[in-house]
Structure formats: structure tokens, C-alpha cells
Amino acid sequence: MLVSLNWLKDYVDIDGITPEELAEKVTKSGIEVDSVEYVAEKSTNVVIGYVESCEKHPNADKLNLCQVDVGEEKLQIICGAPNVRQGQKVAVAKPGAVLPGNFKIKKAKLRGVESNGMICSLQELGFDEKHIPKEYAEGIYVFPEDTPVGESVASYLNSNDAILEFDLTPNRADCLNMLGVAYEVGALLDKPVSLPSEKVKTISEKASDYISIKVEDEKLNPYYGAFIIKDVEIKPSPLWMQNYLLAAGVRPINNVVDITNYVLMEYGQPLHAFDYDKLNSKEIVVRPAKQAEKIVTLDDVERTLTSENLVITNGKEPIALAGVMGGANTEVSSETKTILLEAAYFDSISIRKTVKATGLRSEASTRYEKGIDPNRVKHAGLRACHLLEAYAGGKVLEGVVEADVLDRSEKVVEMDTATINNRLGTDIASDEIAKILERLQFNFEQQGEHFKVFAPTRRGDITIFEDMLEEVARIFGYDNLPYTLPTGTAQAGGLTKRQHLRRAVKNYLEGVGLSETRTYSLTSESLINKLISPEIESLNPEPISLAMPMSEDHKFLRLSILPELLKTVSYNLARNQSNIAYYELGSIFITEEKELTKQPNEQLRLSGVLSGKWLEHLWQQENKKVDFYVVKGIVEGLFDHLELELSIQQAQLPDMHPGRTAGLLVDGESIGFIGQLHPALEKELDLKETYVFDINLEKVLEVHRYEPTYTAIPRYPSITRDIAFILDDQINAGDVQATIEEVGAPLVKQVHIFDLYKGENLPKGKKSVAYSLLYQDPERTLVDEEVEESYQKVIAAVNEKFKSYLRS
Amino acid sequence: MQEELKAIQEEALATLEQINDMKELQALKVAYLGKKGSLTQVLRGMGKLSPEERPVVGEIVNQVREAITKAIDEKSDLLEKAALEEKLKEESIDVTLPGRPVKVGGPHLLTKVIEEIEDLFIGMGYEVREGPEVETDYFNFEALNLPKNHPARDMQDSFYITNELLLRTHTSPVQARTMREYKGEKGFKMICPGKVYRRDTDDATHSHQFTQIEGLYVDKDVKMSDLKGVLNIFAKKMFGEDRNIRLRPSFFPFTEPSVEMDISCKVCHGEGCSVCKGTGWIEILGAGMVHPNVLEMGGYDPKVYSGFAFGMGPERIAMLKYGVSDIRQFYLNDNRFLKQFHQA
Ligand SMILES: [Zn+2]
């Protein structure tokens, strides 16, 4: 809503406050003022002049020599504007005038002829393009004939106006008109609001002899009022009205249309003027459109309607799309003599449907959609009649013809001082509350602390106590509320065990060198089925797609974090960021339903991706590349950290390297995988050698039971023995380790691999794997003989099972 | 014989002077003190002496031995020390070469901001709640006083999956869910961070996916001044003790009265500058007193209970606090961006 302050002054006294100060006050009271704009920059000594004569300059074709009457004197002025003519009223900058840009007007000689001033265009007076009527976009501005000579142009051009742009929240539709703004500003400044004149000198002819009204659905159209105005003369509207309309962003057309628009902006009540003589009937029937019924609207577009659209008809055919736009068949033209003025109340939902269906949105429909004041409908009609009398020579017929079941009652809200103060944390006196209600111009009855408020119908947003609480609070001033802290129920607060654990997982991963990422949950069709973990795949999940995606890239809810995470890796690779170690924690969305009828299962997963060098900038040794074992080490470390038993088994998965992939199992249940991407996928996604892990963290958090308890530090010494086995290449070192642990128990406490060797000195197809065994008994010191015995048992068992032998 | 001993001592000490390494020193020790050493030879000749002379000569032999031994030990110490010095000299390194790199990762900037806010409110007794990202129309809108056909639904264009299910447009549904869980029986404080989604085209200030933190306090006698007090603490802890807050009336369907909270501009402290577009204030979050309809739908009697709620955007807070100028940075995961915020 654009609010012209000159216009606003017609209703409320805002003298002594700058536009900026007013903007600040309005903003702080709940309506954000987005901008303060001035119609024109300041200029001085510019008056209205009358061009008495206009002849060609004797020495220049394109210049005119004008004699201009500016009141107390006559000036000879040379003017280059193509549209200057004898008999015009124009803006004259007298010698000594200062125009925007500090442009000083002086007496001068142009091609040998004296020029004492300048006839100005609106641009030269510093007007913004959008406040210049189209016909004066080029050349000088011409005032109406009756404009008095010698007066300063400022008040006639509205050039001293400032315009505030109100950014209204949906509840404040009451400020979509000047009167509403006046009530708001009046309340803030504690100033009364003076209402515009609705006085009409009606003639004795009766409107009811001209028209009758029938409304088929009173719910959709609870009020329809028709005024008849005869003998109108179509001409431009008065300058002040055109200026106000321009300031409000409405283009002036002619007096009748401008008056309906002016009242729309003033009262917030849409009005429509029909050319009565084009009606071809004496009745107005408001009804739903027939299926496929057609109307050509004022914009000359033929529109096909449905029964959802409400139309105004002449009893036979539509003459307007109710509340949205008039029909071309009854349009007011320069020949119009008699008009039928419609002032109606239409249901907002019905209008919204028509707007949606036709794509037509106008100043009128916007106000209907947001709700108008039922008590202003008829008044707006009267106001327009008043203006038509004054500025269109109209004669208003007696009476308004109406169909009326409109509820105009005010909402009653009860409140009391104690509850208000209790809710706000304030100590406002009842008298002060009464004062606030007076400032708001709300009717109320007060009995001591108790108030019965009759919320004015212009404020459709006020229906309950809390709405009034806000009104009291905002006029009292949010700045004046004290700062307090809650004193109610004490609650420990804090993170749940699950949230703690999640933070622990994150801290671990960051501690070992991974950076957290955040990618999009929505992915593309080409990626949605990629890298889904085997236990998810086994559920046969149906990808969930958006009903109306905005792009192909963000269409499906992810079934794995990895694809979008991999996109970030190629993004980085393209920017020379090749050493990547990322992880992300987030939900995937699982359903088996083809058509979603209930919320999907949102499973928390932990995914990671590593590529390039693991450690950078090493100068002592070769820069180590990420490999399978780096990733495995991170994952094993995590489960160690969580004190969870993890089993890792060779696996074959789609899109993964067939020889470098393993499944992750907890309690025999699959919970994810690790490994290298299939080189084909790496190529497809513009990646280099890339390793990933993907874990069902939901499950991990669920099975996590670790409660640390103290175990005595062993008092007896341990003994270490090493063994190196020569094994067939295809035997898994882990299987051998498992055998050692099994056979060596209970004396063998720990086994780890410390060397792997292939090549020279070994037969082809063989490898040497060296294990270190730690023997310990918490109760006593071990003797060499028993260690030796166990050691030999282990060797025998491994050699027997794996057909291996010792490396000498 | 005594002269002989004197000569041996002098000779030994003189030779010792010339010695510069351990090996020679060892050889010298053997040559004089060893089983076949000169001193031993002299001792062997003692048998020829008279019993009276023996103790006298023995005494002298001991003196000579002690003198030589002492000299050798001293020399040995000297040589060892020199050797050690030599060794240490060889062992010296270039301390300006870089240390062995340690791999350290870190949290995403948004996580950092979210956890900071979580911890701040945990300190004030709030619990941290979560909710589903695919929400029902009921919890996302209706339970928050946004019935179907409500004009304010235009304000948040949403990603629907079906007519009844959508990607949540805000974390506010968690309000409704938490109230139901507490069954209208007792007061509680909670915050709830999470991802939300809106039909916005991604650009420098919009993202179709972003995060929100919702806060809710429901209890008997919750006051609007409590909200102001809590938000003031939040603003000062989050942005600095020198920042002030300002509340402005606003509109949200799920709160009444509703407020918008601004903080004073860091650059101009309220005077007005280009950062705050001349207003002196920067918009941070929306809040308000829980709408009675929302309380009622959540199972709380609005005559007995009241509450406040607030909602903020970690992206916006991160942008203001750390000067990030493009919201897309949070989701591009540029390695260089992520690493800027890993430091403690
Ligand atoms: Zn500033």
C-alpha cells in the first residue's frame, strides 16, 4: 500500500512530524514501512504561468518565443518544448529559481533574444518517471485551464508529497485504504480522524424506477447496492485527484473511473460504474456463471466461466465478473450520460476462486479477497455520488436500490485490566487502557477493571481477547514492556541420550579428520536409485517424488545421502579441491507405498566420502592416498568408540568396486557398507578414486548400550609372541586371525597383524602375514611353558586349517 | 726402583696428554695398569726387595697407580663429554621444518550455530526436540491455526507430496506434536532445530531447503515480558553484550500477539548505516504468545495455560554473525568454505 502523506493530511493532522519519523513510528507499531519516497525533489520559485502568445524564434526553428503572464509580471521566455502553445497554463521557473540538481535559473540571451526564465517539464521539476502522466512524458506539463496564475506549482503538482510504502501483514487489510491508515496513524499520534464528506443533493427521480436488484446466492453476495447518476459529463478528473491517484500507483483515466478508483483507495471499497444506457434492461441479477458462459472483460479478453465464478448480469447475459472486473459491453465511455454505480459486498473465498481461475488480480479483487468493511459499502457509494456531483456534473437519483442481508454487527471482546497485565507482564492502569481504546477509536463500555470492546468492523482481524491484547500492547508500546524471566515450572532441560550420542559420533568423525557437510534432501531421478544400502534395498523402497517439483535436480526424497554428497565432491574437484574427507548425518525417506498414504520412515544415516590424499603436505614421506583401509579404520574406530561389535565382510554391491567393497554388520544384521565406488560410476560423476561409507545410524543409536565400568588394570606382566604364516593369497588374513583368537583363548588376549609381505623370496601366489599375540592372565604371572604350549597349538591349528607354514 | 716408578708416572701422564680418543686411552690404560703393564712389571720385581722396603715401595706403587688411574678417568670423562657434544651436534635438526600434519575436520557452520543456540537454551532449561521432515497438512498448518483456505498459506508456498503430506515448511509442527505429548498436563520448555523446505528458487538469499529453530514455552502465567527477557538474553549471548533488542508487532497465524525481533546494528549501534539500510536495526526472528487456538488444539486450556514461541533461521544468523553473503554457500560444501569455520 502506497500512502501519500498529502492525501493522508485530509483525514488526520500529521503536521510537525517528518515522513521518516512517521515511518519509524508506524514500523514500530506493527506495519513495516519499506520505503519513504518523495514525489519530486525540492525546487523554489516555480509558479503557474499563462502563455499569452507563442511565436517562432526569429533565429531558430526549434525554439519558441513566449510571452508568459506569471501574475505580478509578464516574462518573455524562450522555450524549446515541442508541445508549448498559446493559451496553456504552465510551470514557470522565474529568474532566481532553483531547480533540482541545484540548477539556478538566470536571465539569459538565446540566439540574440532575451529569455527571462524557463517553462518546465515534470522531469525538470525532479519528478520520478512513475509519477508523470503518460501524455506529459515528453515536453512540458500543462495544467487545467482553471488553475490560478501566479500560485506556486507545489500544491497543484503534489510535488511536495512524500509516499510511504506499507508492507502489510495479511491481518492488516484495514490499512489497504486511506481511512484505515488514518485511523492507524491517528491512534499512534493520538489525533482524531476527520471523515470525508458524503453529502449528496439528490434529485426527485427515484433510482428504483430505473433498476431492480436480484441476488441468487445471498451467502456469496450479502449486499448489492445500486445508485443511478444522470447527466454525467465525462472529462478529466480534477488535478488533485489525479495527483493522489498517481501517488497511490493508479493511472488516471477520466473523472468517473478516477472517482471509483479514488473511493476504492480512500474507503477500501471496490465500486464499479456501468453505462446505464448499455445495460439494455432494468434489472441486475447476481448469480453464479453458467458452465462455459462467456464474458469479454474490460481488458478486451474473452473469458470462459464456470459455476464457481459469480457474475453480475442484466438478467440475460453477464455484464461484469463480480468483484474482479467489469464487462466491455457496459463500459463507461466519453458518450456515457447515465451511470449505474455498484457498491457491493462479495464473499472473499468466491472472489479468490475467480481470481485463481482467471488469473485476473486487481486493486478491487485484492480488497475483496482480504475482506472489506461491511459498514463502509454503502458509505463508499455515497461518497462516490458526492464526488460525481462535484466533478462530473452528475445528478444523483433518490435512493439506493439494494439487496441486503449483510451482517454489520461488531465483534464484542471482553477483557479486564488484571488479565491484560498478567499476560503482558505490565502494570497498566485501567484508565490508560481506556485511553488506548479511545485512541484506536474503538467503542467500549467500561466498568472499573472490566471492558466490553466493540471491535469496529473495519478491523476484521480482531475477534478474540488476544487480538485486543495485541492492540493494547502495541499502542502501549512493545518498547515499554519490561524484561522478565519465566518463573514457572522448573525443568532440567538438556540433550537426550540419543542427541548426546549423535554429538559424540560427530565429534569422533571430526576428530579423525572429516568435515561435516549439508547437502539437499531432494535429488534427481538419475541419482535416486544410486548407492542404496543393501538392507534398505531389501525393503524395496518406493522413491517419493514431489507433486510439483521446481526442477529435475530436486524431485525425489533421498534414499541415500551419498549421491548428493558425491556431487559436492565433483563440485570441489572442478575447483582444484581434490583432497576430500566429508561426512554427513541426515535422514533418508523410506516407504513401500507406491501412493503415499502415511508419513514415510525417516531413518537417520551417517555417510562419508573420501578421495585424494589422506594427509597433505608431508615432506618426510610419500603423500598418502586415501584407500580402503583408511576408510575401514575410520569406521572401525567409530564402532570401537561406541563399544559396539562390528563385523565387516566382503560384499558385491551395484555401483561399487567388486573387489573393494564390504558390508557392515552388527549382531548379524546388515547396517551399511564401505568401499570404493565402481570406476564406471566414478567416471560418470567426474570423480577420481573415491571411497565411501554409509551406516544406519538409527540402528547404531538404538543398540548402543555402553555404560563404562572400571576393570582393574592387570597387575601381572604380559608376554608377546610373534608368528609369520605363509598363506595362499586368497586366504583372508582376518579369517586366520579369528582362528588364532579362538584357539589361543583364554590366554591370548589380543591379536594384531603387523606385517604383510608378498613378492621376492616367496613362491608365487603366496603371502606372508605376521601376527603379534599378547598373552596375559589377570590373576597370575604366566610361565614360559604354558605360553609355548598355547603358541604351538595356535600354529598347528592355523597350519592345519589354512594349509600354511611358518616363515623361517 | 722409586725412580723407576716416578719415571713411569711421568711418562704415563705425558703420553696421556697426547691422547685424543677412547681407543688410545684404553690402550694406554692396558699399557700401564694392565696385567702386562709397566706398573705390574714393577710390582713383580718387588719380590727382590727387603721386607722393610716392601711397604714403602708398595705405598709408592699405589700412589703412582692412583695418580695414573685418576688421570685416565679424568681424560675419559673429558673424551666422553667431547664425544657426546659431537654426537649432539650431529643430531641437531632444522626446527623450522613443518611438523607432521595431523588431520582434523570440523562441523558445518550451520551445525556450529545450531549447537550454540541449543546449548544456550539448554542452559535455560529447554529440552531439544525433533520432528519429521515429511509432515501432515494437519500438523504443518491446521494445528497451527492455518485452516485450509487460510490466506496466510500463500505466505509459504510448499512442496506437497500428496494432498495430505508435504515437506514441512517450518519447524512449528514440532510445537503441536510436543504439546500433544505432554497432554496438556504440565508446563514445558523446548527448542527444536531442523530442516525445512519451501518452493523458492535458489539464489543468494533464498534456498529451497534451509534450517529453522523453533522454541516453545508453555506454562501457567507465561507473560509477554518473559518472552522479551528470554529473547534479550539470547541476542546478547549470540551477538554480543553490547547489542540491544527491539520488538515490533507483527503477524503470524500461530501467535497472538506476534512480534518481530530486531537487534541493534553491529556497525552503527542504532544510528543507521548501509548495513542496516539506515534503520539502525536488523531483523532476526519472529515470535509471539501462543495463539489460544493452537494451545487448545494441542490439548492445553488457554484459560489456564499461556505460552510463547519463537522461530529463527540459523542461515540468517550465520550470515549476520560470520558475514556469509550467499545462502547457497551453506549447501555447496566447498571445501574452502567448510574449513573456514573449523577452528574452535
Ligand atoms: Zn547500521
Side-chain angles (χ1 to χ4, degrees), chain A residues 658-715:
Chain A
R660 295 182 178 178
T661 298
L664 306 176
L665 295 95
V666 166
D667 295 339
E669 205 180 302
S670 168
I671 58 142
F673 65 99
I674 61 171
Q676 189 193 335
L677 292 186
H678 198 289
L681 182 65
E682 287 172 352
K683 205 173 155 213
E684 188 187 323
L685 299 178
D686 292 322
L687 299 169
K688 298 198 174 130
E689 192 172 318
T690 302
Y691 291 85
V692 298
F693 62 86
D694 179 42
I695 297 165
N696 176 353
L697 199 67
E698 199 81 59
K699 185 76 185 175
V700 170
L701 300 183
E702 188 186 307
V703 299
H704 184 264
R705 289 280 174 274
Y706 178 56
E707 294 285 349
T709 47
Y710 171 73
T711 321
I713 309 300
R715 292 157 59 204

Side-chain angles (χ1 to χ4, degrees), chain B residues 265-278 280-281:
Chain B
C265 176
K266 172 169 77 174
V267 179
C268 65
H269 295 279
E271 294 295 312
C273 70
S274 63
V275 172
C276 55
K277 297 189 190 99
W281 298 93

